[in-house]
Amino acid sequence: MRNSTLILLAALWLSSILPAMSQSREILYQDDFESYAVGAKIAQSNSARWTTWSNQPGGAEDGVISNEQASSPTKSLKISGTNDNVLKLGNKTSGKYKVNWKMFIPTTRAGYYNFQHFEAPGVEWAFEVYFDNNGTGYMHAGGNNAATFSFPMNTWFNVENEIDLDADNAKVKINGVQVHSWQFSLQAQGQAGTKQLGGVNFYAGSTTGMTPTYYVDDVVYEAQTEQWLYQSNFDEFPNNGYVAQTIPQWFRTWSNTPGTAEDARFSNEQAQTAPMSVKIAGTTDLVFKLGNKTSGKYLVEWDMFVPTSRAGYYNFQHFENPGVEWAFEVYFDNNGTGYMHAGGNNAATFTFPMNTWFKVVNEINLDADSAKVKINNVQVYQWRFSLQAQGQAGTKQLGGVNFYAGSTTGMTPQYYFDNIGYAELVAGVAGPTIQVSASPIILNIAQGTQQTRNLPITNTGGQPLNVNIVPSFDPPTEAGFNYLPQTDLPQAIGEFVESPVPTNGGAPANDTRPTVILNYDGENATGVGFTNGAQWRAAVRFPASMVAQYNGMMLTQLQIYINEPANAHKIMVWDMGTITLPGPGQLVLEQTFNPLPGWNNVNLTTPVFITGRDLWVGYWMDQPAGLFPAGADAGPQHPDGAWVSSGPGWSLLTLPRNWNIRAKLEGDARPVWLSATPNQMAIQPGATTDVTVNINAANLPQLTVQRGKLHVRTNDQVTPQVNINVWITVLVGLNEKGEQTYVSMYPNPAQTYVMLSSNTLIKKVNILNQLGQLVQTIAPGTPELRINTETMKPGVYILQIDTEHGMATQKLTVR
C-alpha cells in the first residue's frame, strides 16, 4: 500500500508577480493494493481511507483483495456480491481534485460507482455511473440519464473524475474520452445539493437484471494546486500609463517598442475590479509573455469587456517572439457572436455578453498536446494545440498571448481586460541545458598536418538537448560583420495570395564571369502579395552545409524578380539565426533599390564576406493592397526557398512556391580547415557527448594565422548559441636547419613573469585580452624574451608572436 497525505498549498491572489513554485500536484492517496494479503478486506486493512456503507469494516460489505485480475502488478480490489465500499475523500469544500483508477469488468458482468457529497454516505448522491454487460454505460449527473458512453469489456480501462469545487464543475472521462461535464453541486437526479466532495462508493450494483462484478486498481486521489506564475488586477498602476513600459518582464509590444502607439494603456474607463483595467484600441498590439513552455499544463485567464457596437480579438503565439506561428485566434464581433481559428479555419463559434464583463479561460496542456477555450464559463472548443490557427503543423510550445486591436473586417476594435492570471496546473519538465566550455582553442600546427581536440557537451537539463555545430571562418580583416539595427514590422491581418494573372518572366541573363550563383528557384511563374497590403519581407536561406565550401568569397549581387513594384524596396542580408526561433539572425546589410518589373540585378555597395555560416538574403517591400510584388516560380517549394515575415517573426510561405531570389558570389574560396564530428546530435538529460574538433592544415599557406569559430546552436532557451573561437598558427614544415619552427612559453599560468623561447628571432609580440583589445606590444628582436606580468590583471591573454618564419599564437593565464 502506498498512502500519503500532503498539505494543500493555497494560491493567493496578488496584484504582483509570483514566482513559480515547484509542485502543482499533490497526491493525497494512492494505492495499487500490492501490500495487502489476498483475501484481506480493504476497509478493515486501511480504515484511515476506506469504510463500508454501513460502517462495518470486515463484514460482508467489505471488498476483498484479489489476484484474479490486476493492472499492476498482481493484485486489485474486487467488488461483487454484497460489497459496498466507500473511499473517504475528506468533505472538501474548495479546491480542484482528481480521483482516478483503472477498472476491469469481465465478459457478461456489469459495474457501478457513485460519488457522495458527504463522507458519511447516503445523504446526497453527487453522481452515479453504470457499466452494463454489453460494453455501454450511462450516467445520472445533474439529471437523470445525463450522458452515455462505451467501454471495453474484459480488459483494463481508465476512469477519471475531475472535481473543481471552486468553479462548481465536474468532468468524467472513461478510457480517455470525456463523457460529461456538469455543475457538481447538483445531485445525481438534478436536485440542488451541497458543493462538497465526500467520497466514492464502489458498490456491487448494476442495471436491473445484470450481475455486478468488477475490479479496481491503481487508485490515485490528488489535489491540483494552481501555482500562479503571474497575476494582476492592474489597480496599482497609473491611469493612462503604458503597460509594456511599466511591466517589461511580462509584457512587450508586437514590434518590441514599449511606450509607443503599439503599447496598451491602463484605463479607468472600465474595470472588473476597480479602478483599473487594460484598454485595447486604435493601434494597440500588446504581447503577454508566457516563456516558451514546452511541457506541463497551464491556465491563462482574464476578465474581458467589449462595449456595445465594438469588437475584440486575441490570439496565442507558439513563440514568445511573435509573428512566427499563430497557435489560435479568437474574434469577438460587435453583435455578441464570436468565432475561432484553431487547428483549422472557423473551427468554432460562440456567443458572449456585450457591454458587460465576462470570463475568458484558456487551458493549454502541452503534455497531452491539447487546448481548451471557455468563454463566459462555456467551453467553446478543444483541439490539438501544436497545430497552427489555419491547421498547418506547428510547434508544441506556449509562447505568448497577443492582445491586438484587430477585428472582423468592417468592425471597430475596442475592449478591456482585467484580472489576468497565468497559472501552472502541472509543472513542466525542466528544459534542456547545455554545459560546454567556451574557452578558445588556440594551437600551432605544421603545414600539411592535422590535429584534433575533444569538446565534451553535457545536458544538465530535463529534456533532450538538440545540438547543431556550424564552423565559420573569420574575414581576413578580423573585423567581422558590422551588424545593423532592424525595426520589426507592425502586425497586419491577412494572408499571402498569388496574382490572378500568371506571368512567365524567364531566367536572369547569363553572367560569363567565374562566379557562383546560389538559388532554389526556377523561372518566374507568378507574383505574390499580401491581401490587405503591408510592409513585409521575402527571403531565402542558404545553410552552412551549402555555403561552407565558398568561405572567403564575397556576396556581390542579388538577382531579384519583381512582378509589380511596390511603394518602396530594400535588399537585405542577414547572419545565421538560432534553432530555437525560425528565421535569420542579425541584419548585416540593408540597401534601397528601385526595381523595374522583371529581373533586377542589384549590386551590393558593400560586398558581404562569406563566412561559411548560414546566409540569408532577401528584400523588404512596402506593398499597397491589390499588388503582387514578389516574383515566384512554379514550385514545388524547397524547405528554404520561400521565407516570409510580416512582423517580428518568420515562417514559410503557405503557397507551394520559391522566391525568385538568387545570390551571386565572387572571388576565391578558402580551405575548409575546421570541422566538428558529430555536428548534429540529441543529448539525453544527464548525458555527455564528446565532439571531435578537426583542424586540417593540408591546404593552408604557411606562416599564417587562421581564425574561425565553432557555433554550437542548441534548443536551450537560455543559451541558444555558444561561440568558441578557434585560432591556429600554421608553421613551416622545416626551417633551414631541418627543424620545425616553434615558440615555447613558460611558466603558464604565470604570476610575476613569463619566458618566451623560439628557434628563430622574435620580431614582435602583441598581448591581447579576451575581448581582443591590445594590452601591450613588445619588439625584442631576440630569440628569447622575458615579459613582466606583475602589472597585468589576472585573467586569460592571447599572445601573437611574430617571428622571422611566421606568426605563432599562445594562450597565457595570469594569476
Side-chain angles (χ1 to χ4, degrees):
M1 176 179 65
R2 301 191 300 269
N3 184 357
S4 59
T5 303
L6 304 179
I7 299 173
L8 293 178
L9 299 177
L12 302 179
W13 180 266
L14 298 176
S15 61
S16 59
I17 301 164
L18 299 183
M21 304 177 81
S22 61
Q23 200 171 29
S24 59
R25 172 178 179 265
E26 287 141 8
I27 306 299
L28 305 180
Y29 168 71
Q30 63 183 28
D31 210 334
D32 62 4
F33 305 107
E34 295 303 313
S35 63
Y36 309 101
V38 173
K41 304 278 190 174
I42 184 61
Q44 188 178 43
S45 303
N46 185 1
S47 58
R49 274 293 171 191
W50 293 87
T51 186
T52 72
W53 189 266
S54 304
N55 198 22
Q56 296 179 356
E61 287 183 333
D62 207 349
V64 297
I65 305 302
S66 169
N67 61 2
E68 296 170 1
Q69 300 291 343
S71 173
S72 66
T74 62
K75 300 173 188 176
S76 65
L77 173 64
K78 182 178 181 180
I79 303 294
S80 62
T82 58
N83 294 152
D84 202 352
N85 279 110
V86 176
L87 173 62
K88 298 185 283 187
L89 302 180
N91 288 333
K92 304 295 185 183
T93 57
S94 64
K96 294 183 179 181
Y97 303 90
K98 284 187 177 181
V99 190
N100 301 337
W101 61 82
K102 293 186 177 178
M103 194 166 180
F104 184 101
I105 302 177
T107 304
T108 75
R109 295 296 187 261
Y112 168 90
Y113 74 91
N114 68 67
F115 269 62
Q116 298 283 307
H117 280 150
F118 292 82
E119 196 173 273
V123 180
E124 290 180 11
W125 278 254
F127 64 95
E128 302 178 83
V129 184
Y130 288 81
F131 300 83
D132 285 354
N133 59 12
N134 61 355
T136 65
Y138 58 97
M139 290 181 62
H140 305 320
N144 197 45
N145 291 313
T148 60
F149 58 90
S150 60
F151 66 95
M153 299 289 299
N154 213 49
T155 188
W156 287 97
F157 60 91
N158 293 316
V159 177
E160 301 172 67
N161 306 273
E162 184 176 316
I163 316 299
D164 185 346
L165 293 168
D166 298 333
D168 193 11
N169 178 260
K171 299 174 186 176
V172 168
K173 291 182 180 179
I174 303 297
N175 214 27
V177 177
Q178 183 169 309
V179 174
H180 191 38
S181 176
W182 74 100
Q183 182 181 334
F184 178 70
S185 61
L186 295 175
Q187 297 184 53
Q189 301 300 321
Q191 315 96 305
T194 306
K195 192 178 68 173
Q196 181 170 283
L197 180 60
V200 187
N201 177 211
F202 294 101
Y203 173 49
S206 67
T207 300
T208 303
M210 299 183 186
T211 304
T213 300
Y214 61 96
Y215 302 82
V216 174
D217 203 354
D218 299 332
V219 175
V220 179
Y221 173 32
E222 66 182 53
Q224 289 186 293
T225 56
E226 297 171 342
Q227 307 302 341
W228 292 101
L229 307 179
Y230 177 77
Q231 288 181 306
S232 182
N233 58 16
F234 307 114
D235 291 341
E236 74 273 29
F237 300 116
N239 184 45
N240 215 37
Y242 286 113
V243 176
Q245 191 175 55
T246 306
I247 320 172
Q249 60 271 54
W250 285 102
F251 291 93
R252 57 165 284 171
T253 72
W254 186 266
S255 303
N256 203 22
T257 53
T260 67
E262 279 191 336
D263 204 347
R265 292 179 183 267
F266 304 113
S267 172
N268 61 8
E269 296 171 2
Q270 300 289 343
Q272 205 281 335
T273 55
M276 290 296 185
S277 67
V278 173
K279 181 178 181 179
I280 306 295
T283 57
T284 306
D285 207 348
L286 185 71
V287 176
F288 180 34
K289 300 188 288 186
L290 301 180
N292 288 332
K293 304 292 186 183
T294 57
S295 67
K297 184 177 180 180
Y298 302 90
L299 183 74
V300 188
E301 64 180 26
W302 58 85
D303 293 313
M304 189 165 176
F305 183 100
V306 183
T308 302
S309 78
R310 295 296 185 260
Y313 168 90
Y314 74 90
N315 69 65
F316 269 62
Q317 299 280 309
H318 280 149
F319 292 81
E320 193 173 277
N321 192 64
V324 180
E325 292 180 10
W326 278 253
F328 64 96
E329 302 177 84
V330 185
Y331 288 80
F332 300 82
D333 284 353
N334 58 13
N335 60 357
T337 65
Y339 59 96
M340 290 180 62
H341 305 320
N345 197 45
N346 292 313
T349 60
F350 58 90
T351 61
F352 67 95
M354 299 289 300
N355 213 49
T356 189
W357 286 95
F358 59 91
K359 179 71 73 176
V360 176
V361 178
N362 308 271
E363 186 178 303
I364 314 298
N365 187 339
L366 294 167
D367 298 332
D369 193 10
S370 172
K372 301 175 187 176
V373 168
K374 291 181 181 179
I375 304 295
N376 208 26
N377 297 318
V378 176
Q379 182 169 310
V380 174
Y381 194 48
Q382 180 175 351
W383 76 100
R384 181 180 164 194
F385 178 71
S386 62
L387 294 176
Q388 297 184 54
Q390 301 298 324
Q392 315 98 301
T395 307
K396 192 179 69 173
Q397 181 170 286
L398 179 59
V401 185
N402 177 211
F403 296 102
Y404 174 50
S407 67
T408 299
T409 303
M411 299 182 186
T412 303
Q414 180 182 329
Y415 63 96
Y416 305 80
F417 70 87
D418 200 355
N419 299 328
I420 195 167
Y422 175 31
E424 184 181 68
L425 301 179
V426 176
V429 177
T433 303
I434 187 172
Q435 182 176 317
V436 63
S437 173
S439 298
I441 298 173
I442 302 173
L443 56 89
N444 297 328
I445 184 170
Q447 184 188 37
T449 65
Q450 298 184 46
Q451 291 191 32
T452 62
R453 292 291 186 270
N454 184 50
L455 182 68
I457 302 178
T458 301
N459 179 10
T460 61
Q463 297 181 46
L465 177 73
N466 298 325
V467 178
N468 168 234
I469 303 177
V470 175
S472 73
F473 307 90
D474 291 358
T477 61
E478 303 173 14
F481 290 143
N482 181 25
Y483 293 119
L484 304 175
Q486 178 174 292
T487 302
D488 289 333
L489 303 180
Q491 184 171 176
I493 292 181
E495 58 184 330
F496 292 100
V497 293
E498 293 183 18
S499 170
V501 181
T503 58
N504 187 355
N510 289 331
D511 193 325
T512 58
R513 290 174 294 175
T515 60
V516 172
I517 302 295
L518 303 177
N519 72 298
Y520 301 116
D521 64 315
E523 292 187 356
N524 172 256
T526 188
V528 175
F530 200 79
T531 51
N532 300 326
Q535 296 179 18
W536 60 283
R537 309 178 187 102
V540 296
R541 178 182 82 117
F542 303 116
S545 58
M546 177 187 293
V547 302
Q549 61 187 312
Y550 305 122
N551 85 85
M553 298 183 73
M554 305 297 290
L555 172 66
T556 60
Q557 183 186 86
L558 293 188
Q559 299 171 356
I560 298 169
Y561 191 96
I562 298 297
N563 186 60
E564 296 176 285
N567 289 340
H569 291 266
K570 289 184 283 189
I571 61 171
M572 290 181 163
V573 180
W574 298 267
D575 198 1
M576 180 174 68
T578 68
I579 63 175
T580 57
L581 184 68
Q586 292 176 283
L587 184 64
V588 173
L589 178 141
E590 182 178 87
Q591 180 180 319
T592 59
F593 72 108
N594 298 309
L596 296 173
W599 282 100
N600 293 260
N601 294 338
V602 185
N603 294 317
L604 274 59
T605 54
T606 305
V608 175
F609 182 84
I610 302 301
T611 64
R613 297 194 288 270
D614 294 4
L615 174 67
W616 290 77
V617 298
Y619 57 100
W620 166 94
M621 69 210 82
D622 183 3
Q623 177 223 311
L627 285 188
F628 301 88
D633 70 5
Q637 188 181 81
H638 185 279
D640 277 316
W643 287 87
V644 293
S645 170
S646 58
W650 288 82
S651 60
L652 280 171
L653 180 71
T654 54
L655 302 171
R657 308 295 187 192
N658 300 293
W659 298 131
N660 289 128
I661 300 175
R662 303 178 182 185
K664 178 181 175 181
L665 311 183
E666 295 184 278
D668 296 322
R670 300 192 302 174
V672 180
W673 55 266
L674 176 63
S675 63
T677 307
N679 62 4
Q680 293 193 45
M681 67 212 79
I683 305 175
Q684 297 302 312
T688 299
T689 295
D690 288 323
V691 174
T692 300
V693 179
N694 308 289
I695 294 121
N696 186 349
N699 298 308
L700 294 177
Q702 65 184 25
L703 303 178
T704 58
V705 176
Q706 304 287 336
R707 290 175 171 80
K709 292 181 178 65
L710 290 175
H711 305 276
V712 184
R713 304 193 297 172
T714 79
N715 60 334
D716 180 343
Q717 295 284 353
V718 178
T719 310
Q721 185 165 305
V722 178
N723 297 321
I724 302 170
N725 286 313
V726 182
W727 295 355
I728 66 171
T729 300
V730 184
L731 304 176
V732 294
L734 296 173
N735 65 12
E736 66 275 6
K737 297 180 181 180
E739 303 170 324
Q740 283 193 333
T741 300
Y742 69 85
V743 178
S744 62
M745 180 172 67
Y746 63 91
N748 189 14
Q751 289 184 322
T752 58
Y753 74 95
V754 64
M755 289 293 301
L756 300 181
S757 179
S758 175
N759 61 350
T760 186
L761 291 179
I762 300 173
K763 299 193 314 184
K764 184 173 69 173
V765 178
N766 289 329
I767 303 175
L768 293 82
N769 61 23
Q770 280 192 301
L771 299 177
Q773 297 167 327
L774 183 64
V775 174
Q776 186 180 1
T777 296
I778 306 169
T782 61
E784 292 189 349
L785 172 65
R786 178 187 172 106
I787 301 174
N788 181 13
T789 60
E790 288 183 300
T791 60
M792 297 171 64
K793 295 180 180 179
V796 177
Y797 294 84
I798 305 302
L799 273 60
Q800 295 176 338
I801 306 159
D802 187 8
T803 74
E804 281 189 321
H805 299 297
M807 181 77 74
T809 303
Q810 299 276 13
K811 181 170 68 173
L812 169 66
T813 301
V814 175
R815 291 179 176 172

